[in-house]
Amino acid sequence: MEKRKVKGRILSGMRPTGKMHLGNYVGALENWVKLQQEYENYHLIADYHALTTNLDTSELFTNTIEMVCDWLAVGIDPQRSPIFRQSQIKEHSELCLIFGMLITTARLERNPTLKEQVRDLNIGTLVFGHLGYPVLQAADILLYKGNVVPVGEDQVPHVEITREIARKFNQTWGKVFPIPEAKLTSFARLPGLDGNKMSKSVGNTILLADSPDDIKAKIKKAVTDPQKIRRGDPGRPEICLVYTYHKKFNAEQCPEIYSGCTSGALGCVECKMKCGEAIYKVIEPYRNRRMYYASHQSEVLDIIIDGEKRARTVAQSTMTDVREKMKLG
Ligand code: TRP
């Protein structure tokens, strides 16, 4: 592998949700690709964590492959940055078990994401795995001695718990782990077409795999300023969802769109078409690569298996350290 100066190690993770949407792109992937220049990166597929929202595993494998097709399409370089499934590396569950001894249940009950998980639940009821969710995440991060964890705002409490566990381990048995830092993505979360959080389960997404026609049809349904009913009515870009998309994907045309909207000269339909085109321009370069991987899925699986080999070596070496410090064995 080429020699580069790196600032440290990054552990980024995502649950395997299938085809990636623009929210995943803006909130994570775009950032991951940039960061691979400066850091040594490990890309975790949190397939065990996925069980906290769905016990039906029939689509887990397909969702994993579909997700990785998009990761590769946007430019994650698997040679440089291993891509691997949590479930294929036993050390995750081993370290998670040990970490479970280092944090109180009271602390885990205070985790703000626990309440959200319960609310979004289609699993029926709270299980032990929900409470332990951040403990497994701490194992994900610390097994690779990650210094930096690129996350959205919602995951910051989990990184905080990871830091507490790392400190507690180091104090109890000797220093093994770095104290990782959360690195927030610069663009705030991209809302979905209905103005709520962009999410597959809601059906308000634009996918990286969408064609220009798909995008056009979807953006037509996007909510806009309810006071702007027809062309000629002045609109309020600052509260308009479509304008949020323009800001992210069409920065150049923003001043013109802003004045067109506020004066009334620009109608919503035309504005949306401009927006759809701008979005497509951003994702178009990934399209061919995405189609290639989607039709060569065994190649994608090979890439993952290769990443798992490399990740496993690191994980095993950390566990050797851990056991030595703990005088186990
Ligand atoms: N909990 C994260 C999410 O839902 C996914 C995740 C699992 C993760 N393990 C991780 C993220 C480790 C960063 C680091 O988005």
Side-chain angles (χ1 to χ4, degrees), residues 128-148:
F128 179 60
H130 288 120
L131 195 63
Y133 188 112
V135 183
L136 180 58
Q137 188 160 343
D140 296 342
I141 296 166
L142 295 173
L143 205 42
Y144 302 92
K145 301 190 178 170
N147 311 104
V148 176

Side-chain angles (χ1 to χ4, degrees), residues 210-253:
D210 280 342
S211 69
D213 285 345
D214 293 334
I215 297 174
K216 255 186 221 157
K218 283 181 173 182
I219 201 131
K220 258 188 207 157
K221 290 188 225 138
V223 296
T224 52
D225 178 1
Q227 283 183 17
K228 184 169 165 67
I229 294 159
R230 60 184 67 83
R231 188 173 159 167
D233 296 344
R236 296 168 296 172
E238 48 305 324
I239 65 145
C240 179
L241 170 74
V242 175
Y243 193 70
T244 307
Y245 290 175
H246 276 297
K247 277 197 284 195
K248 173 63 202 171
F249 298 103
N250 197 17
E252 261 168 47
Q253 282 190 47

Side-chain angles (χ1 to χ4, degrees), residues 38-79:
E38 299 163 51
Y39 292 86
E40 188 184 353
N41 287 257
Y42 285 79
H43 296 299
L44 170 109
I45 301 163
D47 54 355
Y48 275 149
H49 278 122
L51 300 178
T52 59
T53 47
N54 199 351
L55 290 176
D56 176 359
T57 48
S58 58
E59 282 171 20
L60 203 54
F61 182 77
T62 321
N63 282 340
T64 299
I65 298 289
E66 289 280 14
M67 176 171 85
V68 176
C69 283
D70 282 322
W71 288 10
L72 296 168
V74 299
I76 300 291
D77 175 357
Q79 216 59 29

Side-chain angles (χ1 to χ4, degrees), residues 11 13-15 44 46 49 133 137 140-141 149 151 155 158:
L11 190 292
M14 209 184 271
R15 280 176 285 175
L44 170 109
H49 278 122
Y133 188 112
Q137 188 160 343
D140 296 342
I141 296 166
V149 191
V151 283
Q155 293 292 311
H158 294 170

